[in-house]
Amino acid sequence: MKRENYVLIGYMGSGKTTAGRALAALAGMIFQDLDLLLEERSGMTIPEIFEKETEKGFRDRESALIRDLAEEGREGMVYATGGGAPLREENRTLLKKLGRVVWLDVSAHTVIDRLAGASDRPLLQRPDREEAVRTMLTDRQSAYASCADMAVRTDGKSPGDIALEILSGWDKKPGRGE
Ligand code: S3P
């Protein structure tokens, strides 16, 4: 039987990596983080890519990686995507092909709390970080919503809670359970 993948999307700090690991452990699947894969492939950290190639260079690399994963066609995978992956329409189409897309929805307040002091997110290295988070989150809602098969609110929840909610939520989706 074909084992569908899970693709976690959502803003920075929404819990994609931690919940993705918990989900993979719970479901006996393999976890892959697209940001880490991209860093391994390019031999640069994400801040280095942004610095040397600008955001456009990073986005092109991200799209190429998503294309390759979709082509690879692996099964039984949990993929955590970078927060901006669903912004390009081409990526949204491929992410849907890659598996069941779960949007980890989060409030600006939680993001600001969780990412306080983080220096590895180039888009947030600015003095007006809080305002930038609020604006970006609002601007991205429609891209996340149009890509997602289901949404889970992650504020105040542990990675294990989120993983369980994804698994049980999926089972309850009409026509979606296996
Ligand atoms: C980005 C999110 C980051 C990383 C890059 C851009 C974004 O991933 O891909 O810094 O545009 O939201 P995380 O969501 O894993 O932090």
Side-chain angles (χ1 to χ4, degrees):
M1 186 175 68
K2 187 172 186 298
R3 294 200 68 202
E4 274 241 43
N5 304 319
Y6 287 96
V7 179
L8 305 187
I9 63 166
Y11 195 70
M12 292 175 260
S14 59
K16 300 180 297 276
T17 302
T18 50
R21 285 188 196 287
L23 176 61
L26 206 63
M29 299 172 95
I30 296 168
F31 174 75
Q32 271 198 329
D33 184 308
L34 270 62
D35 281 340
L36 274 183
L37 271 179
L38 208 150
E39 288 187 327
E40 279 167 20
R41 259 190 172 201
S42 59
M44 287 185 275
T45 63
I46 287 174
E48 284 168 350
I49 301 172
F50 269 75
E51 202 184 311
K52 292 196 179 117
E53 303 179 356
T54 74
E55 181 175 355
K56 160 90 169 58
F58 170 79
R59 297 290 172 213
D60 289 345
R61 285 181 180 275
E62 186 174 54
S63 296
L65 174 62
I66 293 170
R67 271 198 298 276
D68 289 351
L69 292 176
E71 209 160 286
E72 243 176 57
R74 295 182 70 180
E75 294 178 11
M77 302 296 294
V78 176
Y79 294 110
T81 61
L87 295 179
R88 290 188 177 176
E89 191 182 349
E90 171 206 351
N91 294 353
R92 291 198 292 275
T93 307
L94 288 171
L95 292 173
K96 282 174 161 298
K97 260 197 190 155
L98 207 52
R100 307 158 162 180
V101 181
V102 182
W103 172 20
L104 300 191
D105 192 11
V106 69
S107 68
H109 182 77
T110 298
V111 171
I112 291 160
D113 254 22
R114 283 188 187 158
L115 298 185
S119 59
D120 56 350
R121 307 303 205 289
L123 294 177
L124 300 182
Q125 301 318 302
R126 41 195 289 173
D128 60 342
R129 175 185 276 221
E130 295 196 8
E131 192 48 40
V133 167
R134 283 182 222 288
T135 309
M136 245 189 282
L137 251 183
T138 308
D139 290 349
R140 289 182 175 187
Q141 294 293 303
S142 64
Y144 292 143
S146 70
C147 189
D149 294 304
M150 77 178 272
V152 173
R153 190 82 184 182
T154 66
D155 300 82
K157 292 177 189 161
S158 71
D161 287 345
I162 299 166
L164 277 175
E165 206 172 316
I166 294 171
L167 285 177
S168 61
W170 199 274
D171 287 345
K172 285 186 213 121
K173 279 185 84 69
R176 293 287 192 177
E178 280 179 337

